């Protein structure tokens, strides 16, 4: 069955370190998204991609970067982790809108703690 | 900034009762979706309503949309313990733009 996975599921890191969170989907979706979820803020969009080599900034992109070298993966990198980046991170993917399908499929999340 | 705001923030009801939660948004939309999130899990899509629709049903779910008031409601009938979760509305504001903007969610607790 097609799925979307994230790794690691839990990560503790120190301030200033570079951290990469992995996201892999086997839906063959062109669109992929990264969100962070914090109490009182719901889900906020960090970066998104509409296809290979395409990346775009979301609402809260400062301190984060992504790259899309293939259809299946969109890794999220925290260049220099800060305590404010302690959060739960979700990856999601979706079909192109021209298929008439709009829902996003979410991964299980990565809980990141920056100490 | 949040496009959608859910109301109430938290809701507790007895099993078997109906649960209603509301979502308000700020700008024109193409579609509005509702998602469920069980504790510690990713979000799961429940239902989508298009901007030219006023009501939609799916099993025990009923969604309404009032574009003049920029609001939507999600009704879960005959609630079950398994419905305990957080519920989020999400909107896409621009045609051709695949992004969704999520609200802050309603935490629903079903009391057995």
């Amino acid at each position: 069955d097609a799925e979307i996975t994230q790794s690691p599921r839990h990560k503790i890191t120190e301030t200033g370190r570079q951290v990469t969170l992995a996201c892999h989907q086997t839906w063959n979706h062109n669109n992929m998204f990264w969100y962070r979820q914090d109490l009182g803020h719901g889900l906020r969009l960090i970066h998104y991609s509409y296809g290979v080599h395409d990346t775009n900034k979301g609402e809260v992109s400062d301190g984060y970067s992504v790259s899309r070298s293939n259809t299946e993966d969109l890794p999220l990198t925290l260049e220099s982790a800060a305590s404010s980046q302690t959060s739960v991170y979700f990856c999601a993917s979706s079909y192109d809108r021209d298929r008439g399908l709009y829902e996003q499929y979410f991964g299980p999340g990565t809980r990141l703690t920056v100490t | 900034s949040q496009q959608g705001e859910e109301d109430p923030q938290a809701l507790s009801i007895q099993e078997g009762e109906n649960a209603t939660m509301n979502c308000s948004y700020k700008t024109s939309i193409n579609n509005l979706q509702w998602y469920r999130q069980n504790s510690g899990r990713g979000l799961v899509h429940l239902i989508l309503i298009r901007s030219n629709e006023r009501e939609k049903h799916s099993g025990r779910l009923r969604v309404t949309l009032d574009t003049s008031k920029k609001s939507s409601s999600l009704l879960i009938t005959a609630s079950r313990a398994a419905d305990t979760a957080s519920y989020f509305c999400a909107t896409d504001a621009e045609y051709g733009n695949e992004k969704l903007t999520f609200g802050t969610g309603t935490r629903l607790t079903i009391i057995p």
Side-chain angles (χ1 to χ4, degrees):
Chain A
D1 287 347
E3 61 178 354
I4 179 166
T5 57
Q6 294 183 235
S7 62
R9 295 294 312 279
H10 301 271
K11 175 77 175 179
I12 300 174
T13 190
E14 295 177 344
T15 301
R17 290 192 178 267
Q18 183 181 80
V19 177
T20 297
L21 309 183
C23 175
H24 179 81
Q25 52 96 4
T26 58
W27 293 95
N28 200 32
H29 287 162
N30 277 335
N31 305 324
M32 295 185 74
F33 308 86
W34 274 105
Y35 298 91
R36 59 177 290 173
Q37 185 176 34
D38 306 285
L39 279 174
H41 289 280
L43 275 81
R44 292 182 290 176
L45 184 63
I46 305 171
H47 281 285
Y48 59 102
S49 168
Y50 290 156
V52 177
H53 302 311
D54 176 76
T55 62
N56 305 278
K57 294 181 178 180
E59 179 187 356
V60 290
S61 60
D62 287 349
Y64 304 94
S65 64
V66 294
S67 61
R68 187 91 180 269
S69 58
N70 59 52
T71 300
E72 296 80 16
D73 300 289
L74 186 69
L76 177 71
T77 297
L78 286 68
E79 303 293 344
S80 177
S83 58
S84 59
Q85 294 176 309
T86 292
S87 187
V88 180
Y89 291 85
F90 288 97
C91 179
S93 66
S94 69
Y95 285 110
D96 289 336
R97 180 166 297 235
D98 59 9
R99 294 199 185 198
L101 301 171
Y102 302 91
E103 59 262 39
Q104 293 187 7
Y105 296 75
F106 280 79
T110 294
R111 183 174 296 275
L112 176 68
T113 302
V114 183
T115 62
Chain B
S1 61
Q2 297 297 131
Q3 162 76 315
E5 295 289 337
E6 282 89 343
D7 170 56
Q9 290 187 346
L11 178 62
S12 293
I13 62 173
Q14 295 288 332
E15 191 168 19
E17 294 181 341
N18 296 340
T20 299
M21 52 206 87
N22 305 295
C23 167
S24 60
Y25 56 91
K26 299 174 184 174
T27 64
S28 297
I29 63 169
N30 291 309
N31 302 298
L32 186 143
Q33 303 180 41
W34 285 91
Y35 286 79
R36 183 187 73 230
Q37 183 181 34
N38 290 92
S39 182
R41 309 286 293 274
L43 279 71
V44 175
H45 179 262
L46 293 176
I47 193 167
L48 176 149
I49 187 165
R50 301 179 193 279
S51 60
N52 61 355
E53 298 176 314
R54 293 297 167 256
E55 187 171 313
K56 199 161 184 180
H57 297 256
S58 176
R60 293 185 296 113
L61 304 180
R62 172 179 172 254
V63 171
T64 61
L65 179 64
D66 187 335
T67 54
S68 67
K69 295 181 179 179
K70 292 186 170 60
S71 67
S72 174
S73 66
L74 172 67
L75 168 67
I76 303 173
T77 61
S79 63
R80 305 167 181 170
D83 295 328
T84 293
S86 292
Y87 292 82
F88 296 86
C89 67
T91 55
D92 56 346
E94 301 173 29
Y95 182 78
N97 189 326
E98 315 276 359
K99 295 188 300 178
L100 292 178
T101 303
F102 286 83
T104 52
T106 291
R107 174 68 189 171
L108 175 64
T109 301
I110 307 300
I111 303 167

